[in-house]
């Protein structure tokens, strides 16, 4: 007699088999492995609405140009890449994931990004830092040339850093309005 689909899947799934035996030497998948296809979609200008499910509702995204607060602004930031660049993608990457506290992780993605703007190829080294709580990204930073983001805490004159922060927020608000306030392109 044939096995039911559930029995067949369980019989061939090594994780299920280990769980059934009560001992498992199989390495657990990292959270980064689960979200990396979505990160690649975001940076590759081919994001879909479900690619943003990895973010907490009040998550933030920041790079040297923009500071987005909340998933709708994060959507606007990434959906705008296709409007600005002829091509964009992460071409190489290395991931490091560590648990910082129970339920909290920090994921570092050391990467090389490729962009094409007005026919010109631009390759950039970047460090993406993701702060995760309860399996949701709460903060996403993109450090271009692996340099920390400049703000009131990282520059010599806090007032200059504050002005830089305000400039990133202003640019993000303009981008957010231009991109339809975070509407998914496939729902317009």
């Amino acid at each position: 007699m044939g096995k039911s689909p559930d029995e067949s899947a369980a019989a061939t799934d090594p994780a299920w088999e280990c769980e059934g035996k009560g001992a498992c030497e199989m390495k657990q998948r990292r959270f980064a492995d689960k979200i990396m296809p979505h990160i690649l979609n975001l940076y590759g200008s081919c994001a879909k609405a479900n690619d943003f499910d990895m973010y907490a509702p009040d998550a933030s995204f920041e790079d040297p140009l923009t500071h987005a607060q909340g998933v709708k602004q994060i959507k606007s930031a990434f959906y705008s890449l296709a409007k600005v660049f002829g091509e964009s993608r992460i071409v190489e990457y290395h991931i490091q994931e560590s648990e910082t506290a129970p339920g909290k992780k920090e994921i570092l993605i050391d990467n090389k990004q490729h962009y094409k703007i007005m026919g010109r190829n631009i390759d950039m080294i970047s460090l993406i830092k993701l702060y995760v709580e309860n399996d949701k990204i709460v903060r996403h930073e993109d450090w271009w040339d692996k340099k920390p983001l400049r703000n009131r805490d990282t520059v010599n004159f806090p007032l200059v850093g504050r002005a830089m922060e305000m400039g990133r927020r202003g640019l993000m608000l303009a981008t957010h309005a231009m991109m339809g306030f975070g509407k998914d392109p496939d729902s317009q």
Side-chain angles (χ1 to χ4, degrees), residues 110-185:
D110 192 354
N111 68 94
K112 181 178 177 182
Q113 299 172 12
H114 171 79
Y115 297 95
K116 185 174 272 192
I117 186 165
M118 293 186 282
R120 185 171 169 228
N121 291 320
I122 299 170
D123 291 321
M124 178 176 66
I125 300 299
S126 166
L127 177 65
I128 297 170
K129 296 181 81 169
L130 304 174
Y131 300 91
V132 179
E133 293 180 14
N134 301 315
D135 292 335
K136 292 288 186 180
I137 298 169
V138 295
R139 181 151 176 77
H140 176 161
E141 297 176 358
D142 193 347
W143 292 16
W144 297 354
D145 295 323
K146 298 185 186 181
K147 293 179 182 169
L149 298 169
R150 297 178 58 109
N151 58 40
R152 65 185 129 189
D153 299 323
T154 60
V155 299
N156 291 333
F157 298 103
L159 190 57
V160 171
R162 183 73 178 135
M164 295 171 112
E165 291 173 18
M166 290 172 54
R168 284 195 292 271
R169 289 288 301 144
L171 183 57
M172 183 63 244
L173 293 175
T175 301
H176 191 49
M178 181 184 77
M179 296 307 297
F181 299 99
K183 277 190 175 176
D184 297 310

Side-chain angles (χ1 to χ4, degrees), residues 59-62 66-70 73-75 77 168-169 172:
S60 65
F61 165 78
E62 191 167 6
T66 61
H67 177 108
Q69 192 64 48
Q73 285 188 8
I74 294 171
K75 285 181 174 186
R168 284 195 292 271
R169 289 288 301 144
M172 183 63 244

Side-chain angles (χ1 to χ4, degrees), residues 9-145:
T12 59
D13 182 3
W16 182 89
E17 185 176 272
C18 288
E19 188 177 300
K21 291 178 184 173
C24 186
E25 294 178 24
M26 200 171 151
K27 186 177 179 181
Q28 286 286 342
R29 277 186 58 147
R30 299 178 299 180
F31 181 73
D33 296 331
K34 179 180 159 186
I35 63 167
M36 202 58 205
H38 301 290
I39 296 291
L40 293 172
N41 286 346
L42 298 184
Y43 283 87
S45 297
C46 58
K48 301 282 186 240
N50 70 333
D51 289 315
F52 297 93
D53 292 344
M54 63 187 167
Y55 290 101
D58 60 344
S60 65
F61 165 78
E62 191 167 6
D63 67 15
L65 291 179
T66 61
H67 177 108
Q69 192 64 48
V71 175
K72 285 189 174 200
Q73 285 188 8
I74 294 171
K75 285 181 174 186
S76 290
F78 282 102
Y79 287 151
S80 70
L81 288 178
K83 306 275 187 207
V84 176
F85 299 104
E87 287 179 33
S88 69
R89 66 183 181 277
I90 292 176
V91 292
E92 297 173 18
Y93 62 89
H94 172 67
I95 302 169
Q96 183 179 354
E97 180 174 319
S98 58
E99 189 167 329
T100 58
K104 294 183 178 185
K105 295 175 177 58
E106 180 182 66
I107 300 170
L108 304 176
I109 306 168
D110 192 354
N111 68 94
K112 181 178 177 182
Q113 299 172 12
H114 171 79
Y115 297 95
K116 185 174 272 192
I117 186 165
M118 293 186 282
R120 185 171 169 228
N121 291 320
I122 299 170
D123 291 321
M124 178 176 66
I125 300 299
S126 166
L127 177 65
I128 297 170
K129 296 181 81 169
L130 304 174
Y131 300 91
V132 179
E133 293 180 14
N134 301 315
D135 292 335
K136 292 288 186 180
I137 298 169
V138 295
R139 181 151 176 77
H140 176 161
E141 297 176 358
D142 193 347
W143 292 16
W144 297 354
D145 295 323

